[in-house]
Amino acid sequence: MPRVLRLLRRRLLASIPVLLIVVLGTFLLLNAAGGDAVDAYLSSIGGGSAELAQELRQRYGIEGGAVARFLIYASGLLQADLGWSVALNRPVLTAIAERLPNTLWLMGAATALSFTLGSALGVIAGRRPGGLCDRLLSGVSLALYSVPGFWLGLVLSILFAVRLRWFPVSGVETIASGKEGLARALDIAWHLTLPVTALGVIYLALFLRVMRAGMAEAWRQDWALGARARGLSEWRITLNHVARNALLPVVTMLGYQIAGMVGGSVVIESVFGIPGFGRLAQEAVSARDAPLLMGVILVSALVVIVTNLAVDLLYGVLDPRVEA
Amino acid sequence: MSQFTFGRRQVLGLWAALMASAAMPGIAWAAQGGRLLVASDSEPRSLNPAIVASNGVFFIASKVIEPLAEAAYDGLRPLLATGWEGSEDGLSVTFHLREGVSFHDGKPLTSADVAFSAMKVWRALQNIGREVLANLQDVETPDPLTAVFRFSKPMPLQLIENALPVISAVLPRHVYEVEDIAGVTALVGTGPFTFAEHRPGEYYLLKRNPSYWDAGKPLLDEIIYRVLPDRAAAASSLEAGEVQLACFSAVPLTDLARIAKVPGLEVVTKGYEALTYQLVVEINHRNEHLAKLPVRQAIAHAIDKEFVTRTIFQGYATAATGPVPATATQFYSPDVETYAFDPEAANRLLDEAGYARGADGTRFTLRLLPAPYFTETVQFGDYLRQALAAVGIDARIVANDSAAHQKAVYTDHDFDLAVAPPVFRGDPAISTTILVRSGISAGVGFSNQGGFVDEGLDQIIDEALVTLDPAARVALYNQFQRRVTEELPLINVADWTFTSVAATSLTNIANNPRWAVSGWADTELDG
């Protein structure tokens, strides 16, 4: 598949300056914020003498100038070393490896839920634009889309975890339960139900609306009329022709959504006490932990780049007219 | 008749049955001491209480590594030290250690461990110990259960005693005697619980120490600290029964009334008396307006302390009179200069100081930096802005996060007024006099960075540091309180302690004035 190889090569080359800009931008922004990692740490332990601050700055390796610190970080990066997190007192890579799976599970499940259910409902709504079904679904989706994520999370938590006690309030799995294999997987699924619902429902509405709008547009095309004239069944036109043509913007949306979720899950992660990537980024900022924050952003950028690549490849499959 | 005779067999049988019934609860107890789930809002970078003396660290680590003595409502309760006495000249303090105490790895506690902890850790590395023990020269160990602390200058025993619960966590020398002590992540002590596991972002797990020196304790099998940074999540987890205890006001004040009505939960306000936080207006005396005493007095008169405690703290605070909170009964003196809420007096003072209101009603403008550490400090910042506007001072709020606030106020002095929550740590010499003493270098947090200089006040502070007689020392600190309220290097607004929310099945809680950061050996979970 030469198209795929061409695309891969081009994207790989293009991603190098992107990552470089991301790293440099993060470093500069964090550097511009007042206070450093030692200020953040000392304020959390109730202060300390000037000598202590000096010792800590030396220990954390942040007493040098910004340029020197960036060069040290960048040279480590070239050797695939993400550095040492001063706030967590662990290698950045370890911290990321601990947190990324939680967010990927959360994101993956929420994306799968919102994409499948959202586009399916979108097809139902878009089958007869302006019909009763469409009005009902469009109304509900508009309402869902206007709900802030954290609010939905809190309401779900109060209703299903605090009042009914069907689901746990927080965490990714039962603490120190000693569960293994399938039991553990079920336990994690049980814990992730509410956060995935909260995160998924909002995006579900988005997919529904994009799908429906695409289909409403497609029905007006001449080929839709032609298909009807040829006497194809209503369902066949809907699924094979109209829906398929409306799928492209939905896939575009999918790419955006995955990118957005890496950052957007921070609120849901806080509400449901999930040690995820969004929370890690927030902790890194408040602790002024430059290596950790850059590591988080770098990995997020990689996730976005890979997702966009996957979406582009998917375009080619869905619509052969799209060339690399 | 034979069935009623008491033969040797029956007596033995009865005796065995009695023993069994007596032993049974004991056995059941050990097996079902239970797992206590606690909400924890943070994961400290280092958990070593001998190096980092802070509430966040003690909350978890004080169950694992014990101090020489802990705070009690009637003085001190001996832990690793059974007794101590100071020499006449104040140059030495002798500690007698408890017999039969061993560390979690089985090695016995000896005076060598105390000497190592004091010289190499508390004095050299600890944020508070390096100040309090600055004059510690040497620790002698005449025998395995005696440690003699030698000081280069007279050291008041009263100060040492008040500092013991905070600074004296004893580390095993054989584990920590390496080049980089702070780099040792293992947590080994003599405490009622051993450190078992930390899953970052999820929980800390402590397990019962079966060979704890206080036989029969601890009463819990496990303590799990669940990491719940979101305060709403902490409240929900309590309501759903997923945690049984939340300390340090993890449940917001505004939710307390509702939570208190939930069956099986109670709001506990005791157990924090020795961890009193003070709501303080820090003043930058480099500002030409604030350098004038009448202006500072006017600001003091403009603040309605009753309103602050009633509205911002929902009644869970008391109005402050001076730099020592009323909970510090040993030192507190009500004989101070007070400033009643009186906007008219404030306006008059400002008029007389030559600050006429401009066309827009404003006399002058100030930058106000509320500390972001507590909801209440931020809310008080908003209140202060309004209160000052009423007397013609335009205070503009500069909102920062923790690190930026720390740098702006304590290093760059880039503020006019700031709202700070310093802690009163049992003795004014530990972390209170530093708030007003002159000559403190830039960069020291929670200290006098406002450029205030008053020789009289400095003299009182320095004299109290070397005054051995407890009564004379208290008298000096009474003078200190009077002078601070007269000169107003800062304005004390309110004193508050935290609240806990606990399951009613949890007993023996809040039974000492530093309970949340004590060992919890006697804490019990019923049912």
Side-chain angles (χ1 to χ4, degrees):
Chain A
M1 279 212 273
R3 189 188 93 88
V4 174
L5 288 179
R6 266 207 314 278
L7 187 67
L8 274 176
R9 199 187 58 201
R10 215 179 59 212
R11 284 306 177 83
L12 272 176
L13 286 175
S15 67
I16 292 169
V18 169
L19 290 177
L20 208 67
I21 290 168
V22 163
V23 170
L24 192 63
T26 312
F27 184 83
L28 287 177
L29 277 177
L30 200 64
N31 211 45
D36 59 18
V38 169
D39 289 318
Y41 180 61
L42 287 180
S43 74
S44 79
I45 66 164
S49 67
E51 301 88 72
L52 178 64
Q54 183 63 33
E55 280 170 33
L56 285 174
R57 287 207 165 84
Q58 223 155 32
R59 204 183 156 79
Y60 292 1
I62 54 171
E63 83 268 66
V67 178
R69 272 186 289 135
F70 183 74
L71 287 179
I72 292 171
Y73 177 77
S75 69
L77 204 59
L78 287 176
Q79 298 161 46
D81 177 10
L82 283 179
W84 184 268
S85 160
V86 292
L88 302 177
N89 210 4
R90 286 199 291 282
V92 169
L93 199 62
T94 315
I96 286 177
E98 283 161 6
R99 303 292 185 96
L100 190 59
N102 290 331
T103 293
L104 287 182
W105 276 117
L106 183 63
M107 251 176 50
T111 307
L113 174 87
S114 56
F115 179 73
T116 48
L117 214 59
S119 40
L121 289 174
V123 169
I124 292 172
R127 199 166 70 89
R128 215 168 270 126
L132 182 69
C133 226
D134 175 37
R135 282 185 192 180
L136 207 70
L137 282 171
S138 294
V140 171
S141 72
L142 190 65
L144 282 178
Y145 188 57
S146 353
V147 169
F150 76 92
W151 186 83
L152 189 66
L154 283 174
V155 168
L156 287 176
S157 167
I158 288 170
L159 193 64
F160 292 103
V162 177
R163 292 267 175 270
L164 296 171
R165 302 204 182 177
W166 291 354
F167 296 99
V169 173
S170 59
V172 274
E173 61 181 308
T174 306
I175 279 173
S177 63
K179 283 182 180 151
E180 290 291 338
L182 186 66
R184 182 163 176 236
L186 286 174
D187 186 48
I188 293 176
W190 181 55
H191 276 79
L192 286 183
T193 306
L194 289 184
V196 164
T197 309
L199 199 56
V201 156
I202 290 159
Y203 285 102
L204 178 150
L206 197 64
F207 282 124
L208 192 157
R209 296 191 68 76
V210 172
M211 189 75 188
R212 184 213 160 266
M215 284 181 73
E217 178 72 31
W219 280 118
R220 283 199 289 274
Q221 303 294 320
D222 290 341
W223 48 258
L225 192 67
R228 202 167 269 168
R230 287 208 308 277
L232 294 180
S233 81
E234 193 74 1
W235 272 112
R236 193 152 167 216
I237 305 173
T238 307
L239 291 179
N240 286 9
H241 296 272
V242 176
R244 194 167 172 190
N245 271 289
L247 205 56
L248 233 47
V250 180
V251 172
T252 312
M253 212 57 235
L254 182 70
Y256 280 133
Q257 187 208 342
I258 291 175
M261 265 195 190
V262 180
S265 61
V266 60
V267 175
I268 294 295
E269 282 171 11
S270 282
V271 169
F272 289 99
I274 294 168
F277 220 48
R279 233 173 76 187
L280 191 66
Q282 187 231 323
E283 286 166 18
V285 173
S286 63
R288 298 289 188 275
D289 192 340
L292 181 59
L293 185 68
M294 287 193 283
V296 167
I297 302 233
L298 206 60
V299 172
S300 307
L302 276 175
V303 170
V304 172
I305 288 173
V306 170
T307 317
N308 279 340
L309 189 65
V311 167
D312 280 359
L313 290 175
L314 203 60
Y315 275 160
V317 176
L318 288 174
D319 189 343
R321 287 171 302 179
V322 179
E323 262 300 319
Chain B
M1 291 298 281
S2 69
Q3 67 262 46
F4 292 113
T5 54
F6 267 76
R8 194 170 55 109
R9 260 197 178 165
Q10 280 78 0
V11 171
L12 269 178
L14 194 68
W15 185 76
L18 264 172
M19 284 311 288
S21 68
M24 277 305 281
I27 292 163
W29 221 16
Q32 300 170 2
R35 169 189 279 190
L36 172 63
L37 286 142
V38 188
S40 168
D41 69 340
S42 67
E43 296 176 274
R45 180 183 188 276
S46 156
L47 266 186
N48 193 327
I51 298 177
V52 185
S54 81
N55 290 337
V57 171
F58 287 144
F59 185 41
I60 297 167
S62 62
K63 285 77 192 162
V64 180
I65 299 179
E66 290 179 300
L68 293 173
E70 73 173 9
Y73 279 118
D74 51 356
L76 283 176
R77 181 177 161 249
L79 284 179
L80 297 183
T82 50
W84 51 85
E85 67 267 339
S87 67
E88 216 46 19
D89 56 6
L91 290 174
S92 74
V93 181
T94 305
F95 288 94
H96 306 285
L97 304 183
R98 191 176 292 280
E99 256 188 276
V101 177
S102 57
F103 289 104
H104 296 151
D105 58 6
K107 301 251 170 63
L109 165 84
T110 70
S111 52
D113 297 306
V114 175
F116 165 76
S117 302
M119 292 303 294
K120 294 282 158 62
V121 189
W122 310 339
R123 185 188 175 282
L125 302 173
Q126 191 192 88
N127 51 335
I128 294 177
R130 55 204 290 162
E131 308 294 329
V132 176
L133 299 176
N135 298 327
L136 179 66
Q137 259 190 328
D138 190 24
V139 177
E140 288 165 19
T141 52
D143 66 69
L145 292 179
T146 309
V148 185
F149 285 46
R150 300 247 177 243
F151 295 92
S152 58
K153 280 185 194 160
M155 184 74 184
L157 186 63
Q158 188 181 40
L159 169 57
I160 292 274
E161 287 179 330
N162 287 332
L164 277 183
V166 180
I167 64 168
S168 70
V170 180
L171 298 179
R173 177 180 163 179
H174 60 273
V175 176
Y176 291 87
E177 196 171 36
V178 291
E179 185 149 345
D180 181 20
I181 299 172
V184 180
T185 49
L187 217 53
V188 181
T190 57
F193 296 92
T194 60
F195 189 82
E197 195 190 359
H198 173 210
R199 284 280 288 274
E202 290 187 65
Y203 63 87
Y204 293 91
L205 170 62
L206 307 186
K207 286 196 165 158
R208 183 174 193 274
N209 171 10
S211 50
Y212 187 53
W213 53 264
D214 197 353
K217 287 177 184 163
L219 305 181
L220 296 166
D221 286 332
E222 288 178 351
I223 303 176
I224 289 181
Y225 294 86
R226 291 198 59 168
V227 180
L228 297 169
D230 187 71
R231 286 167 28 121
S236 310
S237 299
L238 277 162
E239 272 192 85
E242 287 183 23
V243 298
Q244 290 119 9
L245 177 67
C247 297
F248 291 111
S249 302
V251 176
L253 291 175
T254 43
D255 278 350
L256 278 184
R258 184 176 60 81
I259 286 277
K261 291 195 194 106
V262 175
L265 290 181
E266 59 176 339
V267 174
V268 181
T269 53
K270 279 186 66 183
Y272 294 101
E273 292 78 0
L275 304 173
T276 300
Y277 278 66
Q278 303 171 288
L279 186 71
V280 165
V281 180
E282 289 176 320
I283 296 167
N284 194 343
H285 297 262
R286 297 175 190 89
N287 179 293
E288 50 165 335
H289 314 311
L290 295 172
K292 294 175 186 160
L293 181 60
V295 173
R296 305 200 292 272
Q297 288 170 331
I299 293 174
H301 277 303
I303 299 169
D304 184 354
K305 295 176 182 173
E306 295 305 325
F307 176 85
V308 171
T309 55
R310 201 174 56 237
T311 309
I312 296 177
F313 288 95
Q314 312 264 317
Y316 292 98
T318 49
T321 54
V324 173
T327 46
T329 46
Q330 202 177 8
F331 296 102
Y332 175 72
S333 161
D335 177 28
V336 291
E337 192 68 49
T338 54
Y339 300 88
F341 172 54
D342 189 350
E344 264 175 51
N347 277 315
R348 203 169 49 242
L349 279 164
L350 290 167
D351 286 338
E352 286 167 10
Y355 293 106
R357 281 179 187 258
D360 57 350
T362 302
R363 302 173 197 274
F364 52 86
T365 302
L366 296 174
R367 291 163 299 169
L368 169 60
L369 277 70
Y373 317 125
F374 296 97
T375 319
E376 290 78 19
T377 50
V378 176
Q379 288 174 342
F380 176 70
D382 295 338
Y383 165 76
L384 187 59
R385 200 183 79 80
Q386 291 172 29
L388 291 178
V391 297
I393 299 174
D394 179 22
R396 300 199 173 149
I397 290 187
V398 182
N400 282 317
D401 73 351
S402 296
H405 180 80
Q406 186 85 2
K407 180 146 197 294
V409 175
Y410 300 111
T411 304
D412 297 345
H413 309 145
D414 201 7
F415 72 106
D416 297 317
L417 296 175
V419 179
V423 195
F424 186 84
R425 290 191 168 92
D427 194 293
I430 298 177
S431 56
T432 303
T433 54
I434 193 178
L435 298 171
V436 295
R437 177 76 171 84
S438 71
I440 291 161
S441 54
V444 182
F446 308 104
S447 70
N448 174 15
Q449 297 293 352
F452 175 77
V453 183
D454 179 55
E455 276 176 32
L457 198 56
D458 288 353
Q459 263 172 21
I460 299 173
I461 293 170
D462 295 345
E463 202 184 329
L465 264 185
V466 291
T467 299
L468 301 178
D469 177 52
R473 206 168 163 260
V474 168
L476 280 169
Y477 283 124
N478 288 346
Q479 275 184 49
F480 163 80
Q481 292 169 63
R482 170 134 217 110
R483 184 107 186 168
V484 168
T485 51
E486 280 167 2
E487 295 294 325
L488 290 178
L490 41 74
I491 300 168
N492 284 81
V493 178
D495 300 323
W496 85 96
T497 55
F498 295 107
T499 54
S500 306
V501 177
T504 47
S505 55
L506 200 60
T507 52
N508 279 343
I509 60 170
N511 51 12
N512 75 56
R514 288 170 52 84
W515 183 75
V517 294
S518 67
W520 297 4
D522 58 350
T523 300
E524 198 176 355
L525 198 58
D526 297 327

